[in-house]
Amino acid sequence: MRLSTFLLLLCAIFILQDRAFGGQYTSEECSAIVKRWEGHAISQLSELSEDRHTELKELLYFLHRNLYPREQLCNDSYDKLRFNAKSHCRLLVSHDDYSILSTLPVRSTSIVTNLRHPVDRVFSAYEFTVEVAARFVRPTLRGKVDSLKASKMASSTLMIWPWSILVPWMRDDLYERGKHRISSAQEKTSPEGFSNYNASSFVMPFHEFIHQHLVADNIHNGEAFQIAGLTSNSYTKGAEKIRRCIVHHPHLGAHLLNVAKMKLDKLIFVGLTEKHEDSAKAFAHIFVRQIHAREEPIISTTERSPSAVSEVRNSASDNATGFAKQALTVDGLIRTYEKCSGRLQSIQAEHRIVSLKHSLPISFSKEARLGVPEQILEEIKKLNALDLDLFEYVQHRFRQQLSVYNSSQNNISQQHATRNLTTEINIIKGQIMINEGLQRGFGYTKLVLISVLYLMAIGVVVSIGKFVLSARRPAR
């Protein structure tokens, strides 16, 4: 009797839990829930200023660090928000979704982000999850995942969403597969016909990974949910229920996309990971142009009160502004980006090699991805249909942004060409004037010379005449 009662209670708990997550909500119930959220989200967006997508605000959320001096960076907020409005920091970088805006000074915050092709994004999530989990499979680190998560470190991969969920899960899977290999006396080396993305004896195969519940909840359509502010790490009230409704009733995804696209249109810039260099150049152009338009140099705010900072900004001299304009250029920012980007890629490649070579006989690369069957790629596209739609939308917007940038660069080139042509014309005019002056000067000199020669000739004639007359006189 007790056992049957317990089973009934357990069943009731599961039903209620599933219902709370949207699995048992009817299509009509979920439709009402999602539409109510959509209306509220659109209403919030309408309250934002119209210049939000064109004018750079005081606080910039999620951008490359080197655009601001270190003292103007907000505290690291990858694992949790550490924003303090009184700090007067200018750049906040985190791993949150759009809902974080509810905790920031909305009217003085600009947001930028990059979107990635959904298939590449899923590949990257798999590779990074395995790479980081593999670090903790080694005997010396096997038990340190939980201790590191519980530590007070400022920022650790194990504390950052969604890796805080995926890495421990993958670590446990790697450990179980390792135990199975040992118990069955399997070789530690890769067998013949081995595939880096289908090495089931060592790591969860890629085609299994994409169908796991945790991956569906944290990776698939992650960009659409992140822009809409409905991830499993959201600040939005009821986000879990809304997300589950959309997952269980795919036709409601249209409402999610509607909000996500409207929010993207409020961002000052949206780049593409596949077009990193072009994205950096286009954004640097926007950033520098607006800073220069404000006549506001990027200044140090270390150990200054708000009033002192205000005084410094208000009293910034023309020389200081001029210096900032010279120092803060598109070319300067691009050089900084290229230097830092190259260094970051090298560090990431080194970490990946070190993480895998001691634990797993696998290697991830763009070349290795080509061996994944097309059927699996098509499955990823179906599982990420919302992200694909959003990515196509962003591609169109990015082409427009890039067109504006290229047009401005062409105008600058034309201005340089016009300036150079004007300079050449002025030089030629100067040369003509000099030549004319020389010619006039030479004509005057020639006249004087002829006059002198004429007078000399007259003098000679007179002298000869006097000599002839004197010769003809009779002697006395």
Side-chain angles (χ1 to χ4, degrees):
M1 182 69 179
R2 289 182 179 178
L3 179 61
S4 60
T5 303
F6 172 76
L7 290 175
L8 284 172
L9 287 172
L10 187 63
C11 182
I13 290 172
F14 280 130
I15 291 173
L16 288 173
Q17 183 181 34
D18 196 31
R19 182 176 177 83
F21 282 167
Q24 293 297 315
Y25 279 103
T26 65
S27 178
E28 290 76 16
E29 289 173 322
C30 272
S31 179
I33 291 170
V34 173
K35 287 180 179 179
R36 185 163 55 248
W37 162 78
E38 179 187 25
H40 179 65
I42 293 174
S43 175
Q44 287 182 317
L45 286 173
S46 65
E47 296 174 3
L48 300 177
S49 58
E50 290 298 322
D51 64 354
R52 181 175 189 78
H53 64 292
T54 58
E55 183 180 331
L56 187 65
K57 305 296 183 181
E58 274 297 303
L59 176 65
L60 186 62
Y61 171 48
F62 186 57
L63 184 64
H64 196 270
R65 290 170 172 264
N66 286 344
L67 289 177
Y68 288 98
R70 182 175 296 278
E71 59 267 22
Q72 292 191 7
L73 302 180
C74 303
N75 293 329
D76 281 347
S77 299
Y78 285 108
D79 53 324
K80 65 179 181 179
L81 184 63
R82 296 186 177 88
F83 177 74
N84 181 0
K86 295 181 180 179
S87 68
H88 291 270
C89 59
R90 301 282 297 280
L91 174 62
L92 175 65
V93 184
S94 84
H95 222 252
D96 290 278
D97 62 26
Y98 196 99
S99 65
I100 194 178
L101 199 61
S102 64
T103 68
L104 301 175
V106 178
R107 295 188 178 277
S108 58
T109 302
S110 292
I111 306 178
V112 297
T113 190
N114 276 353
L115 259 64
R116 192 174 199 168
H117 191 284
V119 174
D120 290 334
R121 185 173 181 271
V122 174
F123 265 115
S124 180
Y126 173 74
E127 294 165 357
F128 188 73
T129 301
V130 172
E131 173 201 335
V132 179
R135 300 174 192 171
F136 300 97
V137 176
R138 283 175 278 172
T140 55
L141 295 175
R142 188 170 292 163
K144 289 193 175 182
V145 172
D146 295 329
S147 62
L148 284 173
K149 287 182 69 176
S151 71
K152 295 183 179 181
M153 295 171 62
S155 182
S156 165
T157 303
L158 297 173
M159 299 164 66
I160 300 172
W161 177 88
W163 317 122
S164 57
I165 299 171
L166 296 174
V167 170
W169 164 69
M170 182 62 74
R171 182 277 316 261
D172 293 342
D173 184 81
L174 290 175
Y175 183 55
E176 291 301 320
R177 291 173 193 268
K179 285 201 307 182
H180 179 71
R181 284 199 311 275
I182 294 173
S183 63
S184 59
Q186 292 183 15
E187 296 183 4
K188 293 184 179 180
T189 57
S190 55
E192 186 176 351
F194 175 82
S195 169
N196 289 293
Y197 292 90
N198 189 19
S200 58
S201 59
F202 295 94
V203 62
M204 181 185 298
F206 184 54
H207 66 271
E208 291 182 13
F209 173 84
I210 63 175
H211 291 293
Q212 299 299 310
H213 170 72
L214 286 180
V215 176
D217 203 35
N218 294 280
I219 300 300
H220 293 326
N221 291 313
E223 289 179 318
F225 284 117
Q226 204 161 3
I227 297 299
L230 293 176
T231 66
S232 59
N233 192 43
S234 177
Y235 291 84
T236 302
K237 185 178 180 180
E240 185 82 357
K241 179 169 60 177
I242 300 166
R243 189 175 69 257
R244 293 290 181 179
C245 275
I246 293 171
V247 170
H248 284 87
H249 304 281
H251 69 280
L252 297 177
H255 302 286
L256 176 78
L257 287 174
N258 182 41
V259 173
K261 290 174 182 179
M262 291 181 70
K263 289 186 174 183
L264 280 173
D265 289 340
K266 292 290 184 179
L267 270 58
I268 191 171
F269 183 82
V270 181
L272 297 176
T273 301
E274 289 78 7
K275 300 284 186 180
H276 235 173
E277 187 173 347
D278 287 339
S279 298
K281 288 179 179 178
F283 182 78
H285 169 72
I286 294 173
F287 179 83
V288 172
R289 174 170 52 82
Q290 295 213 24
I291 288 294
H292 287 183
R294 288 190 200 176
E295 297 289 326
E296 177 185 344
I298 290 182
I299 60 172
S300 172
T301 58
T302 304
E303 297 180 356
R304 290 177 179 164
S305 65
S307 59
V309 172
S310 178
E311 288 174 8
V312 172
R313 286 178 179 167
N314 292 334
S315 63
S317 65
D318 292 337
N319 290 336
T321 303
F323 174 79
K325 286 187 175 184
Q326 292 175 5
L328 188 66
T329 64
V330 174
D331 290 340
L333 290 176
I334 293 302
R335 283 194 297 271
T336 302
Y337 156 77
E338 290 174 344
K339 184 187 298 183
C340 186
S341 177
R343 185 167 63 248
L344 179 62
Q345 289 177 2
S346 297
I347 292 173
Q348 289 176 334
E350 184 179 344
H351 281 178
R352 177 165 293 178
I353 292 171
V354 172
S355 297
L356 297 178
K357 77 175 184 179
H358 294 297
S359 307
L360 302 170
I362 58 176
S363 176
F364 298 131
S365 65
K366 290 183 178 180
E367 291 73 22
R369 291 180 184 180
L370 297 176
V372 176
E374 186 66 28
Q375 178 184 352
I376 295 176
L377 303 184
E378 290 301 318
E379 286 183 40
I380 295 173
K381 291 178 182 178
K382 290 180 181 178
L383 293 168
N384 291 271
L386 298 176
D387 272 7
L388 275 173
D389 188 303
L390 195 65
F391 185 76
E392 290 176 3
Y393 180 80
V394 170
Q395 278 184 310
H396 176 69
R397 170 179 167 149
F398 181 75
R399 283 192 291 268
Q400 292 178 326
Q401 291 175 149
L402 201 59
S403 175
V404 172
Y405 167 73
N406 290 332
S407 177
S408 67
Q409 292 302 103
N410 290 334
N411 289 338
I412 292 173
S413 299
Q414 290 175 2
Q415 289 173 6
H416 283 312
T418 303
R419 194 177 298 118
N420 292 337
L421 180 61
T422 302
T423 302
E424 291 178 6
I425 291 174
N426 289 337
I427 291 172
I428 293 172
K429 286 181 177 180
Q431 290 176 341
I432 292 173
M433 292 174 67
I434 291 171
N435 291 337
E436 289 177 349
L438 288 174
Q439 289 175 1
R440 286 195 297 271
F442 179 73
Y444 174 76
T445 304
K446 184 177 180 180
L447 178 61
V448 172
L449 181 60
I450 291 173
S451 300
V452 171
L453 291 176
Y454 179 72
L455 292 174
M456 289 175 64
I458 293 174
V460 171
V461 170
V462 170
S463 298
I464 294 174
K466 288 181 179 180
F467 176 75
V468 172
L469 289 175
S470 63
R472 288 182 177 180
R473 270 181 203 153
R476 288 183 180 178

Coordinates of all heavy atoms in Angstrom, one line a residue, residues 181-248:
R181 N 36.4 1.0 -21.2 CA 37.6 0.5 -22.0 C 38.5 -0.3 -21.2 O 39.1 -1.3 -21.6 CB 38.3 1.8 -22.6 CG 37.6 2.4 -23.8 CD 38.6 3.3 -24.6 NE 39.4 4.2 -23.7 CZ 39.0 5.4 -23.3 NH1 37.7 5.8 -23.7 NH2 39.7 6.2 -22.6
I182 N 38.7 0.2 -20.0 CA 39.7 -0.5 -19.1 C 39.1 -1.9 -18.7 O 39.9 -2.9 -18.8 CB 39.9 0.3 -17.8 CG1 40.6 1.6 -18.1 CG2 40.7 -0.5 -16.8 CD1 40.7 2.6 -17.0
S183 N 37.8 -2.0 -18.4 CA 37.2 -3.3 -18.0 C 37.2 -4.2 -19.2 O 37.3 -5.5 -19.0 CB 35.8 -3.0 -17.5 OG 35.0 -2.5 -18.5
S184 N 37.0 -3.7 -20.4 CA 37.0 -4.6 -21.6 C 38.3 -4.7 -22.3 O 38.4 -5.3 -23.3 CB 35.9 -4.1 -22.5 OG 36.3 -2.8 -23.0
A185 N 39.4 -4.2 -21.7 CA 40.7 -4.3 -22.2 C 40.9 -3.8 -23.6 O 41.6 -4.3 -24.4 CB 41.2 -5.7 -22.1
Q186 N 40.1 -2.7 -23.9 CA 40.2 -2.1 -25.3 C 41.5 -1.3 -25.4 O 42.1 -0.8 -24.4 CB 39.0 -1.2 -25.5 CG 37.7 -1.9 -25.6 CD 36.6 -0.9 -26.0 OE1 36.8 0.2 -26.4 NE2 35.3 -1.4 -25.8
E187 N 42.0 -1.1 -26.6 CA 43.2 -0.4 -26.9 C 43.0 1.1 -26.6 O 41.9 1.6 -26.8 CB 43.7 -0.6 -28.3 CG 44.1 -2.0 -28.7 CD 44.6 -2.1 -30.1 OE1 44.7 -1.1 -30.7 OE2 44.9 -3.2 -30.5
K188 N 44.0 1.8 -26.2 CA 43.9 3.2 -25.9 C 44.1 4.0 -27.2 O 43.9 5.2 -27.2 CB 45.0 3.6 -24.9 CG 44.8 3.0 -23.5 CD 45.8 3.5 -22.5 CE 45.5 3.0 -21.1 NZ 46.5 3.5 -20.1
T189 N 44.6 3.3 -28.2 CA 44.9 4.0 -29.5 C 43.6 3.9 -30.4 O 42.8 3.0 -30.2 CB 46.1 3.5 -30.2 OG1 45.9 2.1 -30.4 CG2 47.4 3.7 -29.4
S190 N 43.5 4.8 -31.3 CA 42.4 4.8 -32.2 C 42.4 3.7 -33.2 O 43.5 3.4 -33.8 CB 42.3 6.1 -33.0 OG 43.6 6.3 -33.7
P191 N 41.3 3.0 -33.4 CA 41.3 1.8 -34.3 C 41.3 2.3 -35.8 O 41.1 3.4 -36.1 CB 40.0 1.2 -33.9 CG 39.1 2.3 -33.4 CD 40.0 3.2 -32.8
E192 N 41.4 1.3 -36.6 CA 41.4 1.6 -38.1 C 40.0 2.1 -38.5 O 39.0 1.6 -38.0 CB 41.8 0.3 -38.9 CG 41.9 0.6 -40.3 CD 42.4 -0.7 -41.1 OE1 42.7 -1.7 -40.4 OE2 42.4 -0.7 -42.3
G193 N 40.0 3.1 -39.4 CA 38.7 3.6 -39.8 C 38.1 4.6 -38.8 O 36.9 4.9 -38.8
F194 N 39.0 5.1 -37.9 CA 38.6 5.9 -36.8 C 38.1 7.3 -37.3 O 38.7 7.9 -38.2 CB 39.8 6.1 -35.8 CG 39.6 7.1 -34.7 CD1 38.9 6.7 -33.6 CD2 40.0 8.4 -34.8 CE1 38.7 7.6 -32.5 CE2 39.8 9.3 -33.8 CZ 39.2 8.8 -32.6
S195 N 37.0 7.8 -36.7 CA 36.5 9.2 -37.0 C 36.5 10.0 -35.8 O 36.1 9.6 -34.7 CB 35.1 9.1 -37.6 OG 34.5 10.4 -37.7
N196 N 37.0 11.3 -35.9 CA 37.1 12.1 -34.7 C 35.7 12.5 -34.2 O 35.6 12.8 -33.0 CB 37.8 13.4 -35.1 CG 39.3 13.2 -35.3 OD1 40.0 12.9 -34.4 ND2 39.8 13.4 -36.5
Y197 N 34.7 12.4 -35.0 CA 33.4 12.8 -34.6 C 32.5 11.6 -34.4 O 31.3 11.7 -34.1 CB 32.7 13.8 -35.6 CG 33.4 15.1 -35.6 CD1 34.5 15.3 -36.5 CD2 33.0 16.1 -34.8 CE1 35.1 16.6 -36.5 CE2 33.7 17.4 -34.8 CZ 34.7 17.6 -35.7 OH 35.4 18.8 -35.7
N198 N 33.1 10.4 -34.4 CA 32.3 9.2 -34.2 C 33.2 8.2 -33.5 O 33.3 7.0 -33.9 CB 31.7 8.6 -35.5 CG 30.8 7.5 -35.2 OD1 30.2 7.3 -34.1 ND2 30.6 6.7 -36.3
A199 N 33.8 8.6 -32.4 CA 34.7 7.7 -31.6 C 34.0 7.3 -30.3 O 34.4 7.7 -29.2 CB 36.0 8.5 -31.3
S200 N 33.1 6.4 -30.5 CA 32.2 6.0 -29.4 C 32.9 5.4 -28.2 O 32.4 5.5 -27.1 CB 31.0 5.1 -29.9 OG 31.6 4.0 -30.4
S201 N 34.0 4.7 -28.4 CA 34.7 4.1 -27.3 C 35.4 5.1 -26.5 O 35.8 4.8 -25.3 CB 35.7 3.1 -27.9 OG 36.7 3.7 -28.7
F202 N 35.6 6.3 -27.0 CA 36.4 7.3 -26.2 C 35.5 8.5 -25.8 O 35.6 9.0 -24.7 CB 37.5 7.9 -27.1 CG 38.6 6.9 -27.4 CD1 38.5 6.2 -28.6 CD2 39.6 6.7 -26.6 CE1 39.5 5.3 -28.9 CE2 40.6 5.8 -26.9 CZ 40.6 5.1 -28.1
V203 N 34.6 8.9 -26.7 CA 33.8 10.1 -26.4 C 32.4 9.9 -27.0 O 32.2 9.2 -28.0 CB 34.5 11.4 -26.9 CG1 34.6 11.3 -28.4 CG2 33.7 12.6 -26.5
M204 N 31.4 10.6 -26.5 CA 30.1 10.6 -27.1 C 30.1 11.0 -28.5 O 30.6 12.1 -28.8 CB 29.1 11.5 -26.3 CG 27.7 11.5 -26.8 SD 26.7 12.8 -26.0 CE 26.7 12.1 -24.3
P205 N 29.7 10.2 -29.5 CA 29.7 10.6 -30.9 C 28.9 11.9 -31.1 O 27.9 12.1 -30.4 CB 29.1 9.4 -31.6 CG 29.3 8.3 -30.7 CD 29.2 8.8 -29.3
F206 N 29.3 12.6 -32.2 CA 28.6 13.8 -32.5 C 27.1 13.6 -32.8 O 26.3 14.4 -32.4 CB 29.3 14.5 -33.7 CG 28.8 15.8 -34.1 CD1 28.7 16.9 -33.1 CD2 28.4 16.1 -35.4 CE1 28.2 18.1 -33.5 CE2 27.9 17.4 -35.7 CZ 27.9 18.4 -34.8
H207 N 26.8 12.6 -33.5 CA 25.4 12.3 -33.9 C 24.5 12.0 -32.7 O 23.3 12.2 -32.7 CB 25.3 11.2 -35.0 CG 25.7 9.9 -34.5 ND1 27.0 9.4 -34.6 CD2 25.0 8.9 -34.0 CE1 27.1 8.2 -34.1 NE2 25.9 7.8 -33.7
E208 N 25.1 11.5 -31.6 CA 24.4 11.3 -30.4 C 24.3 12.6 -29.6 O 23.2 12.8 -29.0 CB 25.1 10.2 -29.5 CG 25.0 8.8 -30.1 CD 25.7 7.8 -29.2 OE1 26.0 8.1 -28.0 OE2 26.0 6.6 -29.7
F209 N 25.3 13.3 -29.6 CA 25.4 14.6 -28.9 C 24.2 15.5 -29.2 O 23.6 16.1 -28.4 CB 26.7 15.3 -29.1 CG 26.8 16.7 -28.5 CD1 27.2 16.9 -27.2 CD2 26.6 17.8 -29.3 CE1 27.4 18.1 -26.7 CE2 26.8 19.1 -28.8 CZ 27.1 19.2 -27.5
I210 N 23.9 15.6 -30.5 CA 22.9 16.6 -31.0 C 21.5 16.2 -30.6 O 20.6 17.1 -30.7 CB 23.0 16.8 -32.5 CG1 22.7 15.5 -33.3 CG2 24.4 17.3 -32.9 CD1 22.6 15.6 -34.8
H211 N 21.3 15.0 -30.1 CA 20.0 14.6 -29.8 C 19.8 14.5 -28.3 O 18.7 14.0 -27.8 CB 19.6 13.2 -30.4 CG 19.5 13.3 -31.9 ND1 18.5 13.9 -32.5 CD2 20.3 12.8 -32.9 CE1 18.6 13.8 -33.8 NE2 19.7 13.1 -34.1
Q212 N 20.8 14.9 -27.5 CA 20.7 14.9 -26.0 C 19.8 16.0 -25.5 O 19.7 17.1 -26.1 CB 22.0 15.0 -25.4 CG 23.0 13.8 -25.8 CD 22.5 12.5 -25.3 OE1 22.1 12.3 -24.2 NE2 22.4 11.5 -26.3
H213 N 19.1 15.7 -24.4 CA 18.1 16.7 -23.8 C 18.9 18.0 -23.4 O 18.3 19.1 -23.7 CB 17.5 16.1 -22.6 CG 16.7 17.1 -21.8 ND1 15.5 17.6 -22.2 CD2 16.9 17.6 -20.6 CE1 15.0 18.4 -21.3 NE2 15.9 18.5 -20.3
L214 N 20.0 17.9 -22.8 CA 20.7 19.1 -22.4 C 21.2 19.9 -23.5 O 21.2 21.2 -23.5 CB 22.0 18.7 -21.5 CG 21.7 18.2 -20.1 CD1 23.0 17.9 -19.4 CD2 21.0 19.2 -19.3
V215 N 21.5 19.3 -24.7 CA 21.9 20.0 -25.9 C 20.7 20.7 -26.5 O 20.7 21.9 -26.9 CB 22.5 19.1 -26.9 CG1 22.9 19.8 -28.2 CG2 23.8 18.4 -26.3
A216 N 19.5 20.0 -26.5 CA 18.3 20.6 -27.0 C 17.9 21.8 -26.2 O 17.4 22.8 -26.7 CB 17.2 19.6 -27.0
D217 N 18.2 21.8 -24.9 CA 17.7 22.8 -24.0 C 18.7 24.0 -23.9 O 18.3 25.1 -23.6 CB 17.6 22.2 -22.6 CG 16.6 23.1 -21.7 OD1 15.7 23.6 -22.3 OD2 16.9 23.2 -20.5
N218 N 19.9 23.8 -24.3 CA 21.0 24.8 -24.1 C 21.7 25.3 -25.4 O 22.3 26.3 -25.4 CB 22.0 24.4 -23.1 CG 21.4 24.3 -21.7 OD1 21.3 25.2 -21.0 ND2 21.1 23.0 -21.3
I219 N 21.6 24.4 -26.4 CA 22.4 24.7 -27.7 C 21.5 25.0 -28.9 O 21.6 26.0 -29.5 CB 23.4 23.6 -28.0 CG1 24.4 23.4 -26.8 CG2 24.1 23.9 -29.3 CD1 25.2 24.6 -26.5
H220 N 20.6 24.0 -29.1 CA 19.7 24.2 -30.3 C 18.9 25.4 -30.3 O 18.2 25.7 -29.3 CB 18.9 22.9 -30.5 CG 19.6 21.7 -30.8 ND1 20.8 21.7 -31.6 CD2 19.4 20.4 -30.5 CE1 21.3 20.5 -31.7 NE2 20.4 19.7 -31.0
N221 N 18.9 26.2 -31.4 CA 18.2 27.4 -31.5 C 18.6 28.4 -30.4 O 17.8 29.3 -30.0 CB 16.6 27.2 -31.4 CG 16.1 26.5 -32.7 OD1 16.5 26.9 -33.8 ND2 15.3 25.5 -32.5
G222 N 19.8 28.2 -29.9 CA 20.3 29.0 -28.8 C 20.4 30.5 -29.2 O 20.2 31.4 -28.3
E223 N 20.7 30.8 -30.4 CA 20.9 32.2 -30.8 C 19.5 32.9 -30.8 O 19.4 34.1 -30.3 CB 21.5 32.3 -32.2 CG 23.0 32.0 -32.2 CD 23.6 32.1 -33.5 OE1 23.0 31.6 -34.5 OE2 24.8 32.5 -33.6
A224 N 18.5 32.3 -31.3 CA 17.1 32.9 -31.2 C 16.7 33.1 -29.8 O 16.1 34.1 -29.5 CB 16.2 32.0 -32.0
F225 N 16.8 32.0 -29.0 CA 16.4 32.2 -27.6 C 17.3 33.2 -26.8 O 16.8 33.9 -25.9 CB 16.5 30.8 -26.9 CG 15.4 29.9 -27.2 CD1 15.6 28.7 -27.9 CD2 14.1 30.2 -26.9 CE1 14.6 27.8 -28.2 CE2 13.0 29.4 -27.2 CZ 13.3 28.2 -27.9
Q226 N 18.6 33.3 -27.2 CA 19.4 34.2 -26.5 C 19.1 35.7 -26.8 O 19.0 36.5 -26.0 CB 20.9 33.9 -26.9 CG 21.9 34.4 -25.9 CD 23.3 33.8 -26.0 OE1 23.5 33.0 -26.9 NE2 24.2 34.1 -25.1
I227 N 18.8 35.9 -28.1 CA 18.4 37.3 -28.5 C 17.0 37.6 -28.0 O 16.8 38.8 -27.5 CB 18.4 37.4 -30.1 CG1 19.8 37.2 -30.6 CG2 17.9 38.8 -30.5 CD1 20.8 38.2 -30.2
A228 N 16.2 36.7 -27.9 CA 14.8 36.9 -27.4 C 14.8 37.0 -25.8 O 13.9 37.6 -25.3 CB 13.9 35.8 -27.8
G229 N 15.9 36.5 -25.2 CA 16.0 36.6 -23.7 C 15.3 35.4 -23.0 O 14.7 35.6 -22.0
L230 N 15.3 34.2 -23.7 CA 14.5 33.1 -23.1 C 15.4 31.8 -22.9 O 14.9 30.7 -23.0 CB 13.3 32.8 -24.0 CG 12.2 33.8 -24.1 CD1 11.2 33.3 -25.1 CD2 11.6 34.0 -22.8
T231 N 16.7 32.0 -22.7 CA 17.5 30.8 -22.5 C 17.3 30.2 -21.1 O 16.5 30.8 -20.3 CB 19.0 31.2 -22.6 OG1 19.3 32.1 -21.5 CG2 19.3 31.9 -23.9
S232 N 18.0 29.1 -20.8 CA 17.9 28.5 -19.5 C 18.6 29.4 -18.4 O 18.7 29.0 -17.3 CB 18.4 27.1 -19.5 OG 19.8 27.1 -19.9
N233 N 19.2 30.5 -18.9 CA 20.0 31.4 -18.0 C 19.3 32.8 -18.0 O 20.0 33.7 -17.7 CB 21.4 31.5 -18.5 CG 22.3 32.1 -17.5 OD1 22.3 31.8 -16.3 ND2 23.2 33.0 -18.0
S234 N 18.0 32.8 -18.3 CA 17.3 34.1 -18.5 C 16.9 34.8 -17.2 O 16.7 34.2 -16.2 CB 16.1 33.8 -19.3 OG 15.4 35.0 -19.5
Y235 N 16.8 36.1 -17.3 CA 16.3 36.9 -16.2 C 14.8 37.2 -16.4 O 14.2 37.8 -15.6 CB 17.0 38.3 -16.2 CG 18.4 38.3 -15.8 CD1 19.4 38.0 -16.7 CD2 18.8 38.6 -14.5 CE1 20.8 38.0 -16.3 CE2 20.1 38.5 -14.0 CZ 21.1 38.2 -15.0 OH 22.4 38.2 -14.6
T236 N 14.3 36.7 -17.5 CA 12.8 36.9 -17.8 C 12.0 35.9 -17.0 O 12.2 34.7 -16.9 CB 12.5 36.6 -19.3 OG1 13.3 37.4 -20.1 CG2 11.1 36.8 -19.6
K237 N 11.0 36.5 -16.3 CA 10.1 35.7 -15.5 C 9.3 34.7 -16.3 O 8.7 35.1 -17.4 CB 9.1 36.7 -14.7 CG 8.2 35.9 -13.7 CD 7.3 36.9 -13.0 CE 6.4 36.2 -12.0 NZ 5.5 37.1 -11.3
G238 N 9.3 33.5 -16.0 CA 8.5 32.5 -16.7 C 9.2 32.0 -18.0 O 8.6 31.4 -18.9
A239 N 10.5 32.3 -18.2 CA 11.2 32.0 -19.4 C 11.2 30.5 -19.7 O 11.1 30.1 -20.9 CB 12.7 32.5 -19.3
E240 N 11.4 29.7 -18.7 CA 11.4 28.2 -18.8 C 10.1 27.7 -19.5 O 10.1 27.0 -20.4 CB 11.7 27.6 -17.5 CG 11.9 26.1 -17.6 CD 13.3 25.7 -18.0 OE1 14.1 26.6 -18.2 OE2 13.5 24.5 -18.0
K241 N 9.0 28.2 -18.9 CA 7.7 27.8 -19.4 C 7.5 28.2 -20.9 O 7.0 27.5 -21.7 CB 6.6 28.3 -18.5 CG 5.2 28.0 -18.9 CD 4.2 28.3 -17.9 CE 4.2 29.8 -17.6 NZ 3.2 30.2 -16.5
I242 N 7.9 29.5 -21.2 CA 7.7 30.0 -22.5 C 8.5 29.2 -23.5 O 8.1 28.9 -24.6 CB 8.1 31.5 -22.6 CG1 7.2 32.3 -21.6 CG2 7.9 32.1 -24.0 CD1 7.7 33.7 -21.3
R243 N 9.8 29.0 -23.1 CA 10.7 28.2 -24.0 C 10.2 26.8 -24.3 O 10.2 26.3 -25.4 CB 12.1 28.2 -23.4 CG 13.2 27.7 -24.3 CD 14.6 27.7 -23.8 NE 14.8 26.8 -22.7 CZ 14.8 27.2 -21.4 NH1 14.6 28.4 -21.1 NH2 15.1 26.3 -20.5
R244 N 9.7 26.2 -23.2 CA 9.2 24.8 -23.4 C 8.0 24.8 -24.3 O 7.8 23.9 -25.1 CB 8.8 24.2 -22.0 CG 10.0 24.0 -21.1 CD 10.8 22.9 -21.6 NE 11.9 22.6 -20.7 CZ 12.8 21.7 -20.8 NH1 12.8 20.9 -21.8 NH2 13.8 21.5 -19.9
C245 N 7.1 25.8 -24.2 CA 6.0 25.8 -25.1 C 6.4 25.9 -26.5 O 5.8 25.3 -27.4 CB 5.1 27.0 -24.7 SG 3.9 26.7 -23.4
I246 N 7.4 26.8 -26.8 CA 7.9 27.0 -28.2 C 8.5 25.7 -28.7 O 8.4 25.3 -29.9 CB 8.9 28.2 -28.2 CG1 8.1 29.5 -27.9 CG2 9.6 28.2 -29.6 CD1 9.0 30.7 -27.7
V247 N 9.3 25.0 -27.8 CA 9.9 23.7 -28.2 C 8.9 22.7 -28.5 O 9.0 21.9 -29.5 CB 10.9 23.3 -27.1 CG1 11.4 21.8 -27.4 CG2 12.1 24.2 -27.0
H248 N 7.9 22.5 -27.7 CA 6.9 21.5 -27.9 C 5.9 21.8 -28.9 O 5.2 20.9 -29.5 CB 6.2 21.2 -26.6 CG 7.0 20.4 -25.6 ND1 7.9 21.0 -24.7 CD2 7.1 19.0 -25.4 CE1 8.4 20.0 -24.0 NE2 8.0 18.8 -24.4

